Amino acid sequence: MRAPRGGGGGWKMAAGGGSAGRPCAAWLLIAAALTAVQVSAVEVNTPEEMFVENGTDAKLPCTFTSVEVISSAASVSWSFQPEGAATRISFFYYSNGKSYPGKDIPFKDRITWAGDLNKKDASITISNMQFRDNGTYICDVKNPPDIVVKPGEIRVRVVEKDLHAGFSILGHLEENLSDSKWGPVFETLLTIGKDTAPLVFRFLGRLKVGFQAFLIGCNSS
């Protein structure tokens, strides 16, 4: 009598071992499926800094790369962090061929979609740039399943029209000298120059106007 019970117990153990193996097999199948799914990161490219003349239109360039085909699920969102502020403001969203500008934003009704997702271009244009538009603009692109992304950031400086040429010269020098042995020294001088340049150029502009007025006075006399 004891032997059959022992045998029955043995069968129960065997059956229990089989059911315990099934969850393990299921987990192996799930792990294999997750391994087969590859999610890549969308790489967003933007310039680090831009100088824009007050009162002009500014195109904020933003391009991206993605291994996936661009689908109707792809989307672009732009946000803005004003100079000196700690928070960001979402102000533009684009998806499936439609633009959705944010409400109650500093540049409402001044934003135009200037990109083409099929060409992997997520740029926008902001018209009539003002000094209050100084700050950092963030471009975020998602193209499922490629949604792991580091947004691109552009620091925009709105300057007076007379200052734009001066900043262009500084940018050209920075590009050519940054890799030389004078790079660290130039970076320090450039940082100081960008902060003081508006005052210097404004002074030179007023000096020029005063000199022209002096010449006109001399000629009239």
Side-chain angles (χ1 to χ4, degrees), residues 167-183:
F167 280 117
S168 298
I169 295 173
L170 289 176
H172 181 71
L173 290 173
E174 180 180 16
E175 182 179 353
N176 286 276
L177 295 179
S178 58
D179 295 332
S180 68
K181 64 180 181 179
W182 297 102

Side-chain angles (χ1 to χ4, degrees), residues 8-137:
W11 283 108
K12 289 180 181 180
M13 290 177 64
S19 61
R22 291 175 184 174
C24 293
W27 280 113
L28 289 175
L29 290 174
I30 293 173
L34 291 175
T35 303
V37 177
Q38 296 181 353
V39 179
S40 302
V42 176
E43 295 185 5
V44 180
N45 302 300
T46 57
E48 294 183 1
E49 191 173 42
M50 285 180 57
F51 293 96
V52 181
E53 292 182 355
N54 180 41
T56 63
D57 298 346
K59 181 178 180 180
L60 306 184
C62 178
T63 58
F64 64 95
T65 59
S66 175
V67 297
E68 295 294 328
V69 176
I70 306 301
S71 67
S72 58
S75 64
V76 177
S77 59
W78 280 85
S79 55
F80 171 60
Q81 184 172 347
E83 194 77 25
T87 58
R88 296 178 176 180
I89 305 170
S90 297
F91 68 88
F92 184 84
Y93 181 81
Y94 181 90
S95 180
N96 201 20
K98 295 182 179 180
S99 302
Y100 302 93
K103 298 180 179 179
D104 301 327
I105 54 176
F107 19 79
K108 185 179 180 181
D109 301 327
R110 294 192 285 137
I111 309 166
T112 305
W113 170 250
D116 185 341
L117 290 185
N118 291 325
K119 296 180 180 180
K120 298 180 180 179
D121 186 350
S123 305
I124 60 171
T125 297
I126 301 179
S127 61
N128 192 24
M129 292 290 288
Q130 303 296 313
F131 294 115
R132 65 175 179 270
D133 298 331
N134 277 310
T136 302
Y137 293 77

